[in-house]
Amino acid sequence: MILVSVFLPRSRTMALKFRLRESVGMQDRTYTADAEPGDDVTVAGWVHEIRDLGGIAFLILRDATGKIQIKFEKDEMDEDLVETGLGVARESVVEVSGAVEEEPRAPTGVEVTPESLEVVSAADPELPLDPSGKVDAEMSTRLDNRTLDLRKDEVQAVFEIRAEILRATREQFREFDATEITTPKIVATGTEGGTELFPITYFGEEAFMNQSPQLFKQLIAGSNVERVFEIGPIFRAEEHNTPRHLNEATSIDFEGAFCDQNDAMDVVEGVVKAAYEAIAENCQDELEALGLEDEFGLSDDAFPRISYEDAIERINATGELDEQLVWGDDLSTAAEEALGDDVGGHYFITDWPSEIKPFYIKDHDDDPQLSTGFDLMHPRMELVSGGQREHRHENLIEGFEQQGLDPDQFEYYTKMFKYGMPPHAGFGLGGERLVMTILGLENIREAVLFPRDRQRLSP
RNA sequence: GCCCGGGUGGUGUAGUGGCCCAUCAUACAACCCUGUCACGGUUGUGACGCGGGUUCAAAUCCCGCCUCGGGCGCCA
């Protein structure tokens, strides 16, 4: 990514966003975005850069709201002050007090003439990566030094937007009358078998990190709560090596009683669109930092709902695949790409063959070969999988057996289907994949502060 | 799980057997410069992932290990 400008003018909304924090921060500190000409201020932050032109020199101070220029005139100012100010290493934390003056030649139109400067925390002059962005760093170097990496505007913007996506999806779920729940991450059994779970020891007993809140959210949807959502971590022990998989991911889950797969699709479509809208409305500065301000948005059109049968026909018709797909085939990455290019936007694939969907997905009443399962696809990758759930106890037990699972191990789950389980439907949406597709990130690790992948366990 | 490609100063790179006590940028150090905004200029500092092998000669070829990234499978 290329930094658009060293000085990103922060808008009024940005300044307002941070003003709220002042009540809990340094009482007499002014954010750089709030420094107005005529004020006597104390600003505190990181030394972004020092430009020494000889008789005059500038220190660029950066904080969460932006940057401000501190001016040093060597002949006219206290020698110690100049020496301290210009001797400090980049990325050191300093606190500067002085008068803010209007100055058209300054990058933001204002600059501070310092009266005092304190080095709060000196930085090592040799940095493991360059937060000013003049020199790129590799993903691995960046992740090993996330604190420094986040000092770059375009990196910080990703996580501000991620936070906005989470806020907007939460709010949208509330619009759908769903209650936020949290379910256990340490579990006795997996959702779909034990092969892809991280085993742990729980007081001497075998346990696992949960790979999905699926069974728990169903149990709560079957209570009077009816509609639930959860935004939380999921853990998968698969040893994949791709730019779109994580071993710890954030799942955005929904489950609703008296809902069918079409209702679930309505909800997920609403949630995804709410995320796009919230970003367009509240994250202009961040979009600019990422260079996305011109092209950002999502069409108002409904996401097309394409049946599995039509999907394979359409894929075959593109001629992109070496071998024609036949009914019952799962969709390969190449097939998904061919269809994604053909559709050109988000779309659902519905009515999958029952045999390639998990046991808890309900089949169509009039055709047991067809499931109510659906996927929401972004042209670049799968975002969501969902469907109507099997709520009939007998059918559920049968499903376990057909999938080669022992229903006795899941008794905590299946027995609740004996005490009044309404029809219900839901979905799981990949949180990082949502962030990644919305922002066009090349690697899913860009969307997580401290990613867990096959190689990385720390930091 | 199968397959492919990398690892060179702090950072990012050039270099496919001798022309390399290793290129360039940035950083760092010193000096010059009174309006920079990726400031500019001069000089300097600093590196071939680890171990073994082939060769008169290895950053370069071979083997093993460590490590990073990607493709597929599978998935969110």
Side-chain angles (χ1 to χ4, degrees):
Chain A
M1 266 178 291
I2 293 159
L3 198 57
V4 180
S5 155
V6 176
F7 287 92
L8 291 158
R10 301 283 186 157
S11 69
R12 211 163 268 282
T13 55
M14 178 66 107
L16 287 171
K17 193 187 289 183
F18 285 99
R19 190 156 291 147
L20 294 170
R21 289 206 208 155
E22 290 189 352
S23 57
V24 290
M26 264 171 62
Q27 290 298 316
D28 55 353
R29 176 183 171 212
T30 302
Y31 279 104
T32 58
D34 295 333
E36 301 285 348
D39 294 349
D40 275 318
V41 298
T42 297
V43 289
W46 292 262
V47 176
H48 185 70
E49 199 166 19
I50 291 171
R51 295 197 199 99
D52 190 342
L53 276 61
I56 192 168
F58 304 106
L59 183 156
I60 312 302
L61 181 113
R62 187 189 67 237
D63 67 15
T65 66
K67 302 184 187 78
I68 198 163
Q69 178 164 287
I70 318 290
K71 175 183 66 176
F72 293 90
E73 283 178 298
K74 289 176 190 170
D75 292 342
E76 294 168 33
M77 287 168 58
D78 180 71
E79 222 171 273
D80 289 344
L81 178 65
V82 173
E83 202 177 305
T84 311
L86 301 184
V88 71
R90 289 193 318 161
E91 297 304 322
S92 297
V93 175
V94 296
E95 193 182 314
V96 181
S97 297
V100 184
E101 283 148 33
E102 199 171 333
E103 174 52 70
R105 290 172 293 184
T108 58
V110 295
E111 68 184 9
V112 176
T113 304
E115 276 148 33
S116 69
L117 182 146
E118 188 197 336
V119 180
V120 178
S121 174
D124 195 316
E126 218 153 61
L127 302 168
L129 63 79
D130 173 21
S132 77
K134 281 181 206 164
V135 181
D136 283 341
E138 286 193 347
M139 181 69 65
S140 175
T141 306
R142 294 175 48 204
L143 294 177
D144 285 339
N145 302 280
R146 248 321 188 193
T147 306
L148 286 172
D149 188 46
L150 276 160
R151 291 181 187 170
K152 292 186 269 191
D153 285 312
E154 73 275 20
V155 178
Q156 204 184 322
V158 170
F159 291 97
E160 290 292 343
I161 288 176
R162 180 186 158 117
E164 181 64 13
I165 289 170
L166 294 178
R167 188 199 63 74
T169 54
R170 273 201 171 87
E171 210 162 90
Q172 191 54 234
F173 278 126
R174 296 299 276 165
E175 293 288 312
F176 286 122
D177 298 322
T179 301
E180 181 160 14
I181 59 168
T182 57
T183 60
K185 303 308 157 203
I186 301 173
V187 296
T189 56
T191 307
E192 291 144 60
T195 52
E196 50 190 34
L197 300 171
F198 287 107
I200 59 167
T201 303
Y202 192 73
F203 300 117
E205 257 184 85
E206 185 184 49
F208 303 95
M209 302 300 289
N210 204 187
Q211 60 156 186
S212 158
Q214 181 61 35
L215 305 185
F216 293 107
K217 67 179 179 173
Q218 285 187 259
L219 292 176
I220 307 308
S223 76
N224 258 40
V225 177
E226 291 201 19
R227 291 184 185 185
V228 297
F229 75 97
E230 173 165 10
I231 300 176
I234 56 171
F235 305 90
R236 301 194 175 181
E238 285 153 14
E239 298 194 41
H240 33 220
N241 225 326
T242 84
R244 59 184 183 283
H245 286 92
L246 293 164
N247 293 295
E248 177 175 356
T250 307
S251 188
I252 300 173
D253 271 88
F254 171 83
E255 203 67 27
F258 303 102
C259 289
D260 65 12
Q261 71 276 19
N262 294 307
D263 299 318
M265 283 188 267
D266 290 344
V267 172
V268 72
E269 186 167 340
V271 165
V272 169
K273 285 181 170 169
Y276 276 88
E277 280 163 26
I279 296 164
E281 206 162 302
N282 302 321
C283 301
Q284 270 312 116
D285 296 323
E286 286 82 3
L287 290 173
E288 274 172 40
L290 291 163
L292 297 173
E293 69 276 20
D294 295 330
E295 57 199 81
F296 190 80
L298 188 64
S299 140
D300 287 338
D301 298 345
F303 297 162
R305 298 181 185 188
I306 304 167
S307 73
Y308 167 83
E309 197 175 354
D310 291 346
I312 57 173
E313 249 175 59
R314 260 177 99 158
I315 293 162
N316 286 337
T318 63
E320 294 287 320
L321 263 55
D322 297 337
E323 251 176 83
Q324 295 275 288
L325 292 169
V326 296
W327 204 90
D329 286 346
D330 207 343
L331 266 42
S332 63
T333 303
E336 284 176 2
E337 276 170 14
L339 188 54
D341 288 345
D342 196 39
V343 177
H346 291 82
Y347 62 96
F348 290 100
I349 302 177
T350 66
D351 306 306
W352 287 79
S354 302
E355 59 186 29
I356 54 178
K357 282 290 168 186
F359 65 87
Y360 53 77
I361 300 281
K362 190 171 171 292
D363 297 335
H364 280 281
D365 290 331
D366 54 358
D367 186 352
Q369 299 300 111
L370 268 192
S371 83
T372 62
F374 67 83
D375 287 354
L376 173 61
M377 308 294 299
H378 177 275
R380 288 178 62 202
M381 74 193 79
E382 182 180 336
L383 274 183
V384 172
S385 90
Q388 186 174 163
R389 317 308 187 183
E390 181 52 72
H391 66 283
R392 297 161 298 184
H393 183 260
E394 268 176 38
N395 293 258
L396 188 66
I397 298 292
E398 233 172 77
F400 269 103
E401 284 163 352
Q402 274 171 15
Q403 205 136 90
L405 295 170
D406 178 9
D408 291 347
Q409 282 209 310
F410 293 86
E411 209 225 341
Y412 72 92
Y413 167 71
T414 56
K415 75 177 181 190
M416 289 304 152
F417 287 66
K418 294 194 289 189
Y419 309 123
M421 180 60 69
H424 58 284
F427 62 81
L429 160 62
E432 284 78 16
R433 287 192 177 183
L434 183 62
V435 175
M436 184 183 178
T437 53
I438 287 177
L439 298 179
L441 305 176
E442 291 293 325
N443 191 315
I444 199 162
R445 296 167 181 90
E446 300 265 11
V448 197
L449 287 170
F450 299 107
R452 289 288 168 266
D453 61 36
R454 189 178 163 186
Q455 334 282 354
R456 183 170 289 272
L457 189 54
S458 154

